[in-house]
Each structure stands twice: as C-alpha cells, then as structure tokens.
Amino acid sequence: MRFGSKSIGAMFGEVAGALFKKPVTEQYPFERRPVQDGYRGRLVYDPTKCVGCQLCVKDCPSEAIHLIILDKSAKRFVIRYHVDRCTYCGQCVENCRFDCLSMSSDLWELASTDKDSFTLYFGSEEDVKLVLSKAAARIAMGPSED
Amino acid sequence: MNEFVLALAALMIFPGGAFVLASGLAFEWIDRKLVARLQNRLGPRWFQPLADLVKLLAKEEIVPDGVHAGLFKGLPVVALAGALTAGLYVPIAGVAPAFSFPGDLVVTIYCLSVLTLCTGLAGTNTLDRFSFVGAIRTLTQLFSYEAPFLLALLSPAILAGSWQIAEIQEYAQQHTLLILLTLPVSFAIAIIGLMGKLELPPFDAPEAETEIVAGALTEYSGRGYALFRLGRDVELVIGLTLISAFFLGGLANPIEFLLKTLGLLVVVALLQALFARLRIDQTVGMWWRVGAALGLLQILLLVILKGLGLL
Amino acid sequence: MEPAAKSGKFSIPIGPQHPALKEPGHFEFSLEGEIVTSATARLGYVHRGIEKACENRTWIQNLYLLERICGICSHIHALAYALGVEKLAGVTAPPRAQAIRTLVAEMERIHSHLLWLGVAAHEAGFDTLFMYSWRDRETVMDLLEGLCGSRVHYSANTLGGVKCDVSPRHSEAIHRGVDFLEGRTRYYMDVVTHDETLLGRTRGVGTMSLDQAVALGAIGTTARASGLARDIRVEAPYAAYPDFPVRISLETTGDLLARFLVRLNELLETYRLIRLIVDHLPEGELQARIPRRIPEGEAISRVEAPRGELFYFLRSSGSDKPDRIKVRTPSICNWSSVLVTAIGHKLADMPMLLAGIDPCFSCSDRSVRIHKKDGEVEQWSWEILRQYGIDYYR
Amino acid sequence: MDTVSSLHQAQELLIPYTVVATHPSPDRLDIVLRTRNLLPAVQALQAAQWGYLSAITGLDHPGFDPTEAKSQPVEEKKWDRLADPYIQNVGVFSTPHLEALYHFCQGAAILTLRVKVPRTKPVLPSLCPLIPYATLYERELVEMMGFEVNGASSGERFILPEDWPDGVYPLRKDFESLESQASSGGSS
C-alpha cells in the first residue's frame, strides 16, 4: 500500500507472494543440501605416497594430526587424526608435496555420541592394528601420557 | 435435571471449555503457520501447540522467592477462566451462544480484558526487573487500546439497538451490507484492537524478546506459563468470532464460522508479518490520537444517522 | 514510570549475562544531576587472550588463530595478517592471488552487511525483513563455500598467496549470484526507505554529526554515515584495490537510517567490484615462496573490514614465532568514539545513542551503573533507562 | 595531500620533540619521543589536524631473549643509570624497557610516536584530555602491559576478569600462565 513517499507495509507484495511459493526451509536430515565440490570435509590419507616428512604435523594450527613412524625405510606410517580438534583449514593438504592428504567433500556429517570415535587411525590395515594393539597394551600397563 | 446436565455439557464440552481450548490451539497453529509461510519459512507441525502445552504442563513450576505464592499460582488460573467465560456468550462454531442475556456484550469485552490484567499483576508480583517493566508496558498498552476497541464493538450494538450478542448477530445477518457500508472504520479498529489485546506484532512491545526477554511472564515456567498462553489462544478465537459475527454478517453455521474466522486470521497474520515492532510510546500515541478519535467519529456518525431516522 | 531511584535504593542485580544477549557488555555513566559526565564500557567477557596466544605459535598457525577472532569478518583478519607478514618478509603475493583475496574480501562484505541488515531489523522487531535478508545471505555463503571450501571460516588465505582458484564455473556462478543479490538489495533499499514503521525506529536515532565524527576518530560505516570519507580501500589501497578502485558511499544525516543506507549502497558498490574482478582476473600462480623464519622487523597492516578500519601491528624477532601481534578491531574504535559522545548528553538520550551504533557485539540489555552526585550508586537495567528516557521527554 | 608530503609535514611539526626519526617503510614514519614531550607532540598534531589516533600498541623489551632462556631476573641497576633513556637501538635485545607506540593515520601515511619507559616505573601521561576516545586503548595498556597511565578514567577492570590477581600483566614476556605465576610467587 503506497501513499506517495509514505507506505504502510512496504513488503506487502513480497510477503503476500510468499504464501504461494514453496518455503525455503530444508527438512534436514530428510532433504540434504547439495554440498559444493571442493568443500573441506574430513581428512583422507593415502599411506602409499607418504614419505614421513611431517610437514603436515608441524603446521597444523590445532595439533590435530600426528605421524606414528613404524618403519621409515619401508615407508610404513600411521596417522592419528583427531576429528574434534581439526579446524578443517586444509593447511596440511597445502603443505604435503606428495599429495597423500586430501579433504573429502562428502564426509562432513561427523557428529557422534562417543568421544573416542573422534580419534581415527589411517594407514594400511596391519599397521593400524599394530598401533592399536600397542596402544591397548600400554593402557593395560597403566596410565601413560599419550 | 437434564437441562442442568445440558448446561454443564454446554459449559464443559461443546461450545464451552474443551471445544474452545481445542480450537484455540488449532487457531494458534494456523496463525504461526501463516506467519511462517508469509516469511517464506516452513512453520511448525500441526500438533506443535499441543506439544508445547503438554511439555509446559509437564515441566516443574518454579515459584521464585520474594513472590506471593498464592497470587503467583492463582493468576494464570483466573486469566484462563476469564478468557473461557468470555467464550460462553459468543457464537462459537456458528452455534447459538451457550448463554445469552441482554448486556452480555459488555461482560464479554471485560472478560477478555481479565487476562491482560492478570498478566500485568503477575509481572508486578515478582522482583525481577524484566517482568516489572513488562507489566508496566502491558498495562500501558491495555489502557491505550481498550477505549477504541470498545467503541469499535459498540457501534454495531448501537446500530442493532441491543446489547445482546445474539441479537446483534441476528441484525448483522439481515443487514450485512449496511454494516459494512456504515462501519468500515470500526471493523478496522476492531481487528487492530484485537491485535493490541493479544500483543501480536507490531504491538508486542510488552514482550519484546530482544529487550526484556519475555516481559511480564519472564518468571513463569511450567503450568502457569502454559495457562497464560492457552488463555491468549482462546482469546484469539473468541475475538475473531466476535468480530466476524458483528462485521461479516453473522455466523449461521459451522462452515460459515470456519470460513469467516479463518479469513480474518489470514488478515491478522498478514498484518503481523508486515510491520516492525512499535515502541511503547508510539503504540500509545497511535491508539489515543488515531484509534479513539476515529472510534468516536464513527459513533457520532451513527448517532446522527439514527437521529435522522435513516437507519 | 518514574523509577523508584528517586525515592531510594534501586539496585538491579542484572549482570552483563542475559538470555537474549548475543555478546555481553556493560556500561557505566556518572552523572552531574541530569548530564552525563563520564561514560565507560566493561568488555572482556569474550576475551580469549589471542594476542598472547600468537606469541607461542608459528607464523602459519597464527593465520588460522587470528581468522577466528570474529565469525563474520574472518577472511579480512587473515588478509591483514598475511599482508603484514609478507611486508615483513619482503614477499609480495602474485597478482592473481591478490585479486582472489580482494574478491573473497568483497564477498565477505556482502555476507557481513546482509547479516547486519537482518540483526538490525530483528532488534527493531521487523522479523520479516530479518528472515528475508538472512535467506538471501545463503546465496553468498554458497558462493564462498564453492570457491574456498567452507561457509564461514573460508581459510582462503595462506602466507604468500591463496589456496583456492577461480575456475570459469565459479565465475559463472558468482555472476548469477551477484545478479540475484543486486535485485534483492535494491528491493531492501526500497523497503528501508519507505516502510513507515521501520522509519519510525531509525530516522533521527543515535545521530552523530560530522564534526563529532572527526573529533572522535570514527571509522567505517559509522563515519561514512556522518559524511566523513574514511575508507582504507580508497585512502590506502591494499591487495588488488589499486587496480580495482572503489567508489566510496557517503551519507550526511549520521543517524541509524543513514547507516542502513551506507551499508546498502556499499553492497551495490561491492557487486560492481566483484563483477569487475571476476571478469579481469589476472593470470599467474597462486602462491609465492615465503621463508618459515620471518626476518626481524616491524610492520603495520591496515585493511577495511566490514565495520571499519582493522589495524594490525606485527613485530618479528627473526624466529619462526612472532614477537608481538597487536590487533585493534573496528568495534573497539566504534565503542570508544561513541561512548565519548555520551558526555554532555542527558541521561535520557543514552538508549538512543547506544542502540544507534549497532556495535559488533550487540548487547541489547546493557546494565548501567549510575553514579549520582550525592555519592549514591544505582544500577539500572537497559529497559529502565529507556523507560526513563521516554518519561523524561513525555 | 599524498603520503610522502603528509609524512614530511608531520616530521616538520614534531622537529622540536623528535629524538630519533626513522622511515621503516615509504608510508611510515617512526619518531622516538621523550615521555614529557608526548603531550606537546600530540597537541601539535591536533593543531595541524593531522589524521586521527588509530591505535596504541604496548611492547615489552624484557632485555633477554624470551624464546630461549627462562625469564632470568632483569638487572635493575644498569637501567636506573639511564634516568631518561632515549638513545636506544631499535634492536630486539636492547636494555630492558617497556615501549608504547601511538599510531596516527592520515590517508595512507602512518606516523608512530614511540615512548620508552623503564620497566620498573612505566609511567605515561594520559591522552584523554586531548583525545577523549583514547580511554579504551589506554585502559587496555594498563591492564595488559602494566603501564601506569595517570588520568586513565576509571580504576575498574576493562578486559580482565574481576578475580584476576593484581600486579600480574599477561602480555609481558615474563608471564607464562596463572599457575606458574602463583607457584613462582609472581614476578614484577
């Protein structure tokens, strides 16, 4: 309703029109918003290319990534990655010259009910099992700083 | 004996308590859904008001210290009772009002104000500053919209020459066009007055979320808060029924009731979504300068026309 | 409503924490009768000791720490810091990186201004405009997510350049998004200048005249709304602004309405800039080599954040950790400049004055402590202060 | 009024008070002042309407390399001999002192007035009478670095919480953390 310069309810047209349009609200989790590619989700590690230079560990702003070296010459490494500490800035991906790190754009629903699912171990199966068994043994021996 | 049972049934079940409460919740949902859709949002699920009510009733009611406990618990009950009694004289669901006697229009209007008075009292009853200021605002707003709202509702009564809602409605059914032609201003003031009474935006200064949390009801939780909200929903239904009975040519049957009240509700929702919240001094200024003056003018016009015998 | 303050003790135990508060704040006025003699603020409730934390992190780690000082201007903090470190190291980022940095900075300005438009409308109770402006803001956040990989902390910057590149698909999406946003901004400009109820809440509220603005060193949109042409992108162009000059948007009335208009005009100017940058993106790589140990020295880096001039002072002692990083955010400047306008005003004008500047932390319920001349100290809630103002003028 | 000429104008204005003037970069001019000359210098700038006070930075030169050695005690004697230290090399490990930098900006030109004060008695004149809005910057200096700015408006805390121990200044180099502070009895 426009009366010269004054107008009561300047948004009348828009608001009335909205009645007949579909609301923009998306019913997550039933409808999921398409994620742009290139979205920085959770870290993905490819152990085959890694040489253990630890450049990624050095520059991580929140110390979310640690490299456990099982055998440097045989290039057997395991990465311990803290999902809850990571700020998803992508600096480790940027630093890695052998591009064995990348951030997947579809792994972004990372909520979970227990905290220890936030500590992930990347590497070949038997390396990871080895590290986990060592860790378990150490815990069994008594609390030790990790 | 059975007319006692009938009266009790009318009071408790059909046009009275249970039905009004249910329709109150339904109307609240429709209102919230409409405002949401106007803002391009989805809006709540159909049973959200019921879910809110059940949750609030289940919650523990905390009585803050420094408060008169009896008053604190009693006020919500009185508020809801006031709203429900107003529902008895109004043609809810298009059926003839449960009770009707000459002069029940004035009783209804004052019963409707009982809730606002209780909110004001509840606000001053506690030591919390937000509710103290909220109460001041509620009462300031009450005194500002009461006069124009009263004038707006009385003009059809003067036209029909009776104070009984049933009779006014009958008159309105026969002379719908006449009422709409001579009383358009009263119709507008009545709607805006109802929004002022229910503190719907743009008149929600008394419970401005960003300024004073929840205004007079800041200290309330659980049962007390549920009853206050329920009272407000019931008043929404009664207000809409009253206005559509007078100005939209009466409510002969349930379908007509539904059509007319929901039509009015769409208008109210639209008004809610269109404006920024008026400061308390702006609302009071607007009511006294514009509302009261127009109301009086309308009544004057009526009296002159009636005097000249044109009506 | 005359508060009982006149008749006796009237202390309101309201701390700065308040359910509707987004960020806590507390103000203190001392009075000479009715005139305010001094006004100070008590901030610090969200103080995280970032400047101290910077001193024991490496230069690259600080980039992501400083980005998290503020949610809606995170890129500009990283940009100011990166430019400062590059000044210290004597490195200049390649032209394409500078252009992409400017592009993301301008997109962040849209993001921040649309957010402010919604919050200001919500404070005035106009929730419909709040809902619509935040719905449209999603467009620019999607563009940022597509371009840099995340919606809020884009982390597009790294020391010596940028991490993300603008592909033809991005630039086409940016063009589409900016066209849509331009239409919407013109619509909001029309709503803000014509809607009577909103005008009732913004016209003549919290006015700051030009000479007050100059005397108080006001910056950013607060200054430009009072006619003071202060914009670092124009005065001291950084990154790619020398090749994409900015036209400054000024108003003269200096009230809240002028601040709405300045921000909306700035949005229109930003759309023009973004189209220009996307169409003339220089070729070249994205990063320049930068040593891990920054040579010793001091650098000052000034950039134009959405709220005003952001000032960075960096000092390096030659190691891989900074010796001192000083950050002066625009909101501190806005606060200190406006609090001083309080002096000489009547207490009754305080609500309008404080609500007028819409600071970065919008504390709607500021608890206020009044030092009366006779030594009596009262603490009023923001609401009582507002009510006192209304009654005073009635 | 481009950058070079405005810097030149500023340098002219402050000739009587300048101790050392350096140009760390084309758009910057650093002038080291004695404490007592700070207010007259700011008055001169204001008279010529030269720019506005953009920020005040506090620097701590502890006299030891904070990254390596743990905070050794700061020898006091050597400091007191230079009652009014003005010739100090801008190098990092000069004699221990605190420094306040007042940054004035006009267009792209940045003028920084540097005032050095002894660590034990860091007294600075307050700019509030000349520049009212400097209150918040100065109170930040007082709380964070331990400067004593006479005339800074109110004694109450501006940033640090009420229960923060007095006399502990977080931005000083010898401050590690509250726990270590409590254990080592709190240095100056």
Side-chain angles (χ1 to χ4, degrees), chain C residues 62-104:
Chain C
N62 278 333
L63 182 71
Y64 300 104
L65 170 64
L66 290 167
E67 228 180 29
R68 277 157 178 79
I69 285 180
C70 159
I72 28 181
C73 39
S74 82
H75 172 79
I76 204 75
H77 273 281
L79 177 58
Y81 172 75
L83 288 174
V85 174
E86 281 151 22
K87 254 187 210 166
L88 277 174
V91 166
T92 54
R96 187 177 181 83
Q98 300 281 35
I100 293 176
R101 278 177 171 175
T102 319
L103 174 67
V104 176

Side-chain angles (χ1 to χ4, degrees), chain B residues 205 278-287 289, chain C residues 387 390 394:
Chain B
L278 293 176
R279 278 200 318 260
I280 189 73
D281 52 316
Q282 287 169 332
T283 34
V284 171
M286 187 188 91
W287 277 115
R289 266 188 236 105
Chain C
Q387 198 58 43
I390 292 165
R394 180 161 301 159

Side-chain angles (χ1 to χ4, degrees), chain D residues 2-187:
Chain D
D2 67 351
T3 319
V4 178
S5 61
S6 47
L7 281 182
H8 190 62
Q9 184 209 354
Q11 192 156 6
E12 292 303 320
L13 275 169
L14 301 176
I15 294 263
Y17 316 107
T18 313
V19 172
V20 175
T22 50
H23 278 277
S25 72
D27 59 350
R28 275 181 57 205
L29 165 67
D30 280 15
I31 291 185
V32 180
L33 302 172
R34 289 207 190 106
T35 319
R36 63 176 181 281
N37 285 340
L38 177 63
L39 285 186
V42 172
Q43 239 149 13
L45 285 176
Q46 271 195 328
Q49 289 195 331
W50 200 92
Y52 59 95
L53 173 66
S54 181
I56 303 178
T57 315
L59 284 182
D60 177 14
H61 305 291
F64 55 86
D65 179 353
T67 47
E68 265 108 40
K70 201 67 201 78
S71 53
Q72 320 116 335
V74 176
E75 333 89 17
E76 296 314 326
K77 297 177 298 321
K78 189 156 145 270
W79 175 258
D80 294 338
R81 215 167 8 79
L82 305 162
D84 193 345
Y86 50 86
I87 298 293
Q88 295 300 333
N89 57 4
V90 188
V92 170
F93 307 125
S94 54
T95 49
H97 62 282
L98 287 180
E99 192 180 12
L101 279 66
Y102 295 83
H103 306 285
F104 286 84
C105 304
Q106 171 159 307
I110 305 171
L111 164 72
T112 311
L113 305 182
R114 308 180 78 114
V115 179
K116 297 169 186 278
V117 283
R119 257 172 142 253
T120 50
K121 185 165 62 50
V123 176
L124 279 173
S126 165
L127 294 191
C128 285
L130 296 169
I131 306 176
Y133 61 86
T135 53
L136 295 186
Y137 305 151
E138 282 176 352
R139 286 177 64 192
E140 191 184 355
L141 271 188
V142 168
E143 277 179 39
M144 284 306 188
M145 286 290 231
F147 282 88
E148 285 152 45
V149 182
N150 40 38
S153 53
S154 90
E156 257 174 22
R157 282 259 157 67
F158 163 56
I159 289 181
L160 294 175
E162 266 78 12
D163 54 10
W164 182 270
D166 291 342
V168 173
Y169 305 109
L171 273 181
R172 287 226 181 158
K173 288 297 176 211
D174 47 24
F175 172 80
E176 284 309 313
S177 65
L178 268 183
E179 297 76 28
S180 70
Q181 206 62 34
S183 57
S184 71
S187 60

